[in-house]
Amino acid sequence: MAIRPLNPNTFANSPLDRAGHVRHDEAALAALRSNDNARVAVLRDGRPLVAPRAPTDAAQIAWLKAGQTEKLAHSVEIFLGLDGDVPLFAREATHLMDPREGGPLAGLGEFHELRSLLPFLPAGDAAILAQARALLDWHARHGFCAKCGNASVVSQAGYRRDCPACKAEHFPRTDPVVIMVGTCGDEALLGRGAQWPQHRFSALAGFLEPGETIEEAVARELEEEAGVRAVSVRYLFSQPWPFPSNLMIACLAEVADKTLKVDSDELAEARWFKKSELPQVLNGTHPDKFLGPPPFAVAHQLIKAWCET
Amino acid sequence: MAIRPLNPNTFANSPLDRAGHVRHDEAALAALRSNDNARVAVLRDGRPLVAPRAPTDAAQIAWLKAGQTEKLAHSVEIFLGLDGDVPLFAREATHLMDPREGGPLAGLGEFHELRSLLPFLPAGDAAILAQARALLDWHARHGFCAKCGNASVVSQAGYRRDCPACKAEHFPRTDPVVIMVGTCGDEALLGRGAQWPQHRFSALAGFLEPGETIEEAVARELEEEAGVRAVSVRYLFSQPWPFPSNLMIACLAEVADKTLKVDSDELAEARWFKKSELPQVLNGTHPDKFLGPPPFAVAHQLIKAWCET
């Protein structure tokens, strides 16, 4: 049954039951792993193995069977959850040959950058890969205990790392990011990043800091980057963003005074857009060539949702 | 100017301008540090120095002047921000004597557990201490680079740790937690934790996982802990929770079927409460002795807000 309000964002709406109770039950986990239906998604430095890729652009996760993953026995393994009665896992394949050059994955698929695949993946596959990529990336960058410096080991089916030396337990991190469209009547504030092309604009955004509420972080970012003061903040929806592991928290923020004071370290430019012109910015038909964020970005859905209010 | 909707939660509504641009400007930071108005809050293993404590229960941060913090020169320092034109810092004082036993802090205040102080602190002090405690705790538990295992060093006025060996940059972590009241008509679902006293109930909660939206995490927790299925989720407000560094994301979740299937590993009990009886649960006057969460917990404010809808 779908949760309302329906989430329009890429990476949302995972089809999986994460079945978290299995993570600390080694016997249940082993049974799922050796289940004939079990399948394994493989990622290499964050890039998923997908098939078929050529000659058509359509892509889907290349789910491997147990016999196809023997060379991965010592790589990090994540239990993703259950898709109906199909147990799904993910594995890191950094040490394997590129399948285009041979090796155990030859003929099974191709590794591609996840972002570039998004227009071609089923929604469910994108959500599953968000989970897999965020977790595998966390392991890749957290091989050592931050508390004592010793090497840590994977536990809990990939959802924890334990330090054998100081016994510290480390959990995957997810960094909350606030992303907001400032509004004033029928105008919306968008910014152009310091290194972006001349006509590209999007919502402002930044990491939430320790000790802040979501709304305080939104107000701070608007003030820091554009010099405007939020008088009300409204949460709209969220998006998992696995580059590497953010939670995008999308808000609308009403601003009382439109006067801008742009921080040139953060933004090349900030600008108020009329509600009536934003659909053209989003679909790339604006007469002044303004371009918005792509549909897989939460900023696109946030601007679109505001236009429809 | 206050942000609407007003946030009723302890630790929200910080009075400070974080002045983040100063963090990467060593000269500006040094000028603020040596400013006559500058003040320093001191924490020892997460417990803030407050004054006066006895004979009255009222407490406030014991703000130290530069001359009083000489013994802290080598401890971790956080730039908290500006309170008007007053630059505020926080320092870790683990290595100093307890002021009750003498030493450089004698007569300046007492260290107390932050949670126990909450009923007695001004709201602004609580918000400042949430920021200080979360950041100092992060440093205390992240002295080593998780990527290579070498010792890392404080940078960016306390908002980053850098690894001199592998050059990795590490940022403070804030863990998003979803906390929710399941509702069905005029009834609300609360749970009793496995180790809690017999009549104590509160909202269900859990960490958001990589690859989840806020709403998916809410639905998962309700299903895992109480066996109920959310059909709609509505975000209400958030709270910084510095034990050690969570972002509490409070939601209401409408449930279609009230039938409970409680996970006994997580909960001793779950129970539906009538909207009409919850005010008594919150203020401790319920005839069946049910007790709710304390006012400083976001769960209290969440239940209260639902009762007022």
Side-chain angles (χ1 to χ4, degrees), chain A residues 1 4-5 13-14 18 23 142-144 146-147 171-174 176 209-210 214-216 231-233 235 238, chain B residues 1 4 13-14 18 23 142-144 146-147 171-174 176 209-210 214-216 231-233 235 238:
Chain A
M1 198 183 298
R4 284 173 298 148
N13 310 312
S14 172
R18 293 190 175 216
R23 297 174 194 166
H142 292 78
F144 295 84
K147 198 172 167 197
F171 293 88
R173 72 182 271 171
T174 300
E209 296 190 352
I214 290 171
E215 295 74 12
E216 287 177 301
V231 291
S232 78
V233 176
Y235 166 79
S238 59
Chain B
M1 199 183 300
R4 283 172 299 150
N13 310 312
S14 172
R18 294 190 173 215
R23 297 174 194 166
H142 293 78
F144 296 84
K147 197 171 168 196
F171 293 87
R173 72 182 270 170
T174 300
E209 295 190 351
I214 290 171
E215 294 74 15
E216 287 177 301
V231 291
S232 77
V233 176
Y235 165 79
S238 60

Side-chain angles (χ1 to χ4, degrees), chain B residues 68-286:
Chain B
Q68 297 169 316
T69 59
E70 280 163 9
K71 297 283 185 194
L72 297 169
H74 300 291
S75 70
V76 174
E77 178 195 58
I78 310 287
F79 172 55
L80 296 169
L82 301 171
D83 187 3
D85 60 356
V86 177
L88 298 179
F89 296 83
R91 286 269 193 184
E92 177 60 53
T94 308
H95 58 295
L96 291 192
M97 278 176 79
D98 187 311
R100 290 173 304 188
E101 295 162 10
L105 300 177
L108 297 174
E110 298 173 13
F111 289 111
H112 285 278
E113 223 282 303
L114 178 54
R115 225 179 294 229
S116 69
L117 285 172
L118 292 177
F120 312 108
L121 280 176
D125 280 19
I128 292 169
L129 289 174
Q131 180 186 358
R133 190 188 197 285
L135 284 159
L136 289 174
D137 177 87
W138 175 71
H139 286 285
R141 292 186 301 119
H142 293 78
F144 296 84
C145 174
K147 197 171 168 196
C148 79
N150 280 282
S152 59
V153 296
V154 183
S155 73
Q156 300 279 316
Y159 292 81
R160 207 173 78 192
R161 296 189 69 93
D162 296 342
C163 177
C166 79
K167 307 300 176 197
E169 297 175 350
H170 300 280
F171 293 87
R173 72 182 270 170
T174 300
D175 294 308
V177 171
V178 288
I179 181 160
M180 77 288 312
V181 169
T183 65
C184 190
D186 72 339
E187 293 185 73
L189 177 65
L190 302 182
R192 184 160 72 81
Q195 308 299 325
W196 296 5
Q198 199 183 345
H199 296 94
R200 169 76 70 182
F201 281 77
S202 188
L204 307 189
F207 287 98
L208 181 135
E209 295 190 351
E212 283 185 322
T213 64
I214 290 171
E215 294 74 15
E216 287 177 301
V218 166
R220 178 180 52 73
E221 289 291 341
L222 282 169
E223 179 118 31
E224 281 179 4
E225 296 193 11
V228 295
R229 193 165 285 231
V231 291
S232 77
V233 176
R234 183 159 69 90
Y235 165 79
L236 226 62
F237 42 55
S238 60
Q239 180 194 41
W241 186 249
F243 306 104
S245 184
N246 299 338
L247 172 69
M248 307 301 292
I249 304 174
C251 297
L252 296 172
E254 183 72 13
V255 163
D257 181 342
K258 280 173 52 184
T259 312
L260 298 175
K261 191 181 162 204
V262 173
D263 174 4
S264 58
D265 287 343
E266 295 270 355
L267 296 178
E269 194 181 349
R271 193 179 178 287
W272 291 96
F273 289 84
K274 294 265 184 210
K275 190 178 271 192
S276 56
E277 66 181 329
L278 280 170
Q280 292 178 303
V281 174
L282 290 183
N283 67 23
T285 60
H286 194 281

Side-chain angles (χ1 to χ4, degrees), chain A residues 185-252:
Chain A
D186 73 338
E187 293 185 73
L189 178 65
L190 301 181
R192 183 160 73 80
Q195 308 297 326
W196 296 5
Q198 198 183 345
H199 296 93
R200 171 77 70 182
F201 281 77
S202 189
L204 307 190
F207 287 97
L208 181 134
E209 296 190 352
E212 283 185 322
T213 64
I214 290 171
E215 295 74 12
E216 287 177 301
V218 166
R220 177 180 52 74
E221 289 290 341
L222 282 169
E223 178 117 32
E224 280 179 7
E225 296 193 11
V228 294
R229 192 165 286 229
V231 291
S232 78
V233 176
R234 182 159 69 91
Y235 166 79
L236 227 62
F237 43 54
S238 59
Q239 180 193 41
W241 186 249
F243 306 103
S245 184
N246 298 339
L247 171 69
M248 307 300 292
I249 303 173
C251 298
L252 296 172

Side-chain angles (χ1 to χ4, degrees), chain A residues 33-56:
Chain A
R33 199 182 281 127
S34 61
N35 183 312
D36 282 346
N37 292 327
R39 294 293 180 271
V40 181
V42 176
L43 287 86
R44 186 181 149 113
D45 288 333
R47 298 154 77 231
L49 187 75
V50 292
R53 184 60 179 157
T56 161

Side-chain angles (χ1 to χ4, degrees), chain A residues 58-273:
Chain A
Q60 56 191 37
I61 297 170
W63 289 111
L64 306 189
K65 297 179 193 177
Q68 296 170 317
T69 59
E70 280 163 10
K71 296 283 185 197
L72 296 170
H74 299 291
S75 71
V76 174
E77 178 195 58
I78 310 288
F79 172 56
L80 295 169
L82 301 171
D83 188 2
D85 60 357
V86 177
L88 298 178
F89 295 83
R91 286 269 193 186
E92 177 59 54
T94 308
H95 58 295
L96 292 190
M97 276 176 78
D98 188 310
R100 291 173 303 188
E101 294 162 10
L105 300 177
L108 297 174
E110 299 174 13
F111 289 111
H112 285 278
E113 221 282 304
L114 178 53
R115 221 179 298 227
S116 70
L117 286 172
L118 291 177
F120 312 110
L121 280 177
D125 280 19
I128 292 168
L129 289 174
Q131 179 186 0
R133 189 187 198 285
L135 283 159
L136 289 174
D137 177 87
W138 176 70
H139 286 286
R141 292 184 301 118
H142 292 78
F144 295 84
C145 175
K147 198 172 167 197
C148 78
N150 279 282
S152 60
V153 296
V154 183
S155 74
Q156 300 278 316
Y159 292 80
R160 206 172 80 191
R161 296 189 69 92
D162 295 342
C163 177
C166 78
K167 309 299 178 197
E169 296 175 351
H170 300 280
F171 293 88
R173 72 182 271 171
T174 300
D175 295 308
V177 172
V178 290
I179 181 160
M180 78 287 312
V181 169
T183 64
C184 191
D186 73 338
E187 293 185 73
L189 178 65
L190 301 181
R192 183 160 73 80
Q195 308 297 326
W196 296 5
Q198 198 183 345
H199 296 93
R200 171 77 70 182
F201 281 77
S202 189
L204 307 190
F207 287 97
L208 181 134
E209 296 190 352
E212 283 185 322
T213 64
I214 290 171
E215 295 74 12
E216 287 177 301
V218 166
R220 177 180 52 74
E221 289 290 341
L222 282 169
E223 178 117 32
E224 280 179 7
E225 296 193 11
V228 294
R229 192 165 286 229
V231 291
S232 78
V233 176
R234 182 159 69 91
Y235 166 79
L236 227 62
F237 43 54
S238 59
Q239 180 193 41
W241 186 249
F243 306 103
S245 184
N246 298 339
L247 171 69
M248 307 300 292
I249 303 173
C251 298
L252 296 172
E254 183 73 12
V255 162
D257 181 340
K258 280 173 50 184
T259 312
L260 299 174
K261 192 182 160 200
V262 173
D263 174 3
S264 58
D265 287 344
E266 294 272 354
L267 297 178
E269 194 180 349
R271 194 179 175 285
W272 291 95
F273 289 84

